[in-house]
Amino acid sequence: PDLGGKPLTRARLKRVAYAIAGLLSLLFATGFSGQWDGLLRYLYAVPYGKADPIFGADLGFYMLELPFLQAMQSAVVGLAFLGLLALMTGYVIAGEIGVQDGQFQVKAAALRHLGVNVILLLLGWTWGFYLDRYEMLQEGGSGAVYGAGYTDINVMLPALWVMIVATLVLAGLVAYNLYRKDLRLLGVGVVGYVALLVGGLVLAPTLVTQITVLPSELQVER
């Protein structure tokens, strides 16, 4: 490969990678420059003295700590995702990933590096599912109540716990495949994960809302 008419050597590729990494760092730093207020609220948070009725968390956690934690979680997921895209692009350019003799091939070192970033991305998702539990209490629904309703507590909350465990299991399968390749097991894990995601967070809440809640919404929510 070449870059600007010059051969793309490993040294030049490293310089390009450093430049891209520096640019991404500046972009994220610019985005986080407005988080100082959130950081100070998080560091100096004090309890309000009143807890929510679902998790028993002090209201100060929701007002002062949760917003900053959500911003950090979004940053972790964003960095892991962008890093994964950048790595894939770099390895394709360097010839570590490509098609040879009609077969898709990935060198072992590149595969392990990409796998580590996938694991980081999955751990960020796990953290996101955990924080989504608290977010339920602040979401304004279109139904009869504000915050966590019947479907949220009885369907969404258990589904989020299932997704937390499932995401950790999937991360474990990816880690296992870094050392002992078992693509069939990993494929089954990915398919099962998608099924749980769609079934638990989309289909089940919709069905319970339509069948159980809406026919007698006020009574059910009470």
Side-chain angles (χ1 to χ4, degrees):
D2 61 78
L3 183 65
K6 298 180 180 180
L8 185 57
T9 62
R10 184 176 295 273
R12 286 198 177 96
L13 182 60
K14 283 185 177 180
R15 287 196 290 269
V16 172
Y18 290 149
I20 295 175
L23 178 61
L24 291 177
S25 298
L26 286 175
L27 291 175
F28 268 85
T30 301
F32 266 89
S33 62
Q35 290 293 334
W36 281 109
D37 183 66
L39 175 60
L40 292 175
R41 291 173 185 270
Y42 176 81
L43 292 176
Y44 295 98
V46 293
Y48 275 29
K50 185 175 182 180
D52 76 81
I54 305 300
F55 302 113
D58 188 88
L59 298 187
F61 168 76
Y62 294 94
M63 301 297 294
L64 304 173
E65 300 180 54
L66 183 59
F68 183 74
L69 293 176
Q70 289 172 326
M72 291 297 296
Q73 184 271 334
S74 298
V76 169
V77 172
L79 283 172
F81 182 72
L82 289 177
L84 186 61
L85 292 181
L87 282 174
M88 292 180 64
T89 302
Y91 280 130
V92 169
I93 294 174
E96 302 288 315
I97 300 176
V99 178
Q100 186 174 2
D101 298 328
Q103 293 185 343
F104 180 75
Q105 294 185 351
V106 183
K107 292 187 178 180
L111 184 61
R112 285 194 295 269
H113 198 178
L114 292 172
V116 170
N117 275 262
V118 171
I119 292 172
L120 291 175
L121 180 61
L122 291 173
L123 292 178
W125 282 350
T126 303
W127 190 15
F129 287 131
Y130 182 81
L131 295 179
D132 285 344
R133 297 161 51 252
Y134 299 110
E135 184 66 22
M136 288 193 311
L137 274 64
Q138 305 179 86
E139 293 178 347
S142 58
V145 298
Y146 180 91
Y150 178 89
T151 301
D152 295 317
I153 300 303
N154 293 279
V155 182
M156 286 294 293
L157 184 57
L160 286 173
W161 277 115
V162 169
M163 291 311 304
I164 289 172
V165 175
T167 309
L168 290 175
V169 170
L170 184 59
L173 288 176
V174 174
Y176 177 79
N177 272 263
L178 296 182
Y179 300 96
R180 297 185 61 182
K181 290 184 179 180
D182 192 342
L183 296 181
R184 182 178 180 182
L185 179 61
L186 182 60
V188 171
V190 171
V191 172
Y193 183 82
V194 173
L196 287 174
L197 182 66
V198 176
L201 299 183
V202 179
L203 296 181
T206 301
L207 289 175
V208 171
T209 299
Q210 295 294 327
I211 297 175
T212 303
V213 177
L214 290 182
S216 53
E217 186 173 8
L218 290 176
Q219 180 179 355
V220 171
E221 295 297 357
R222 285 194 185 100

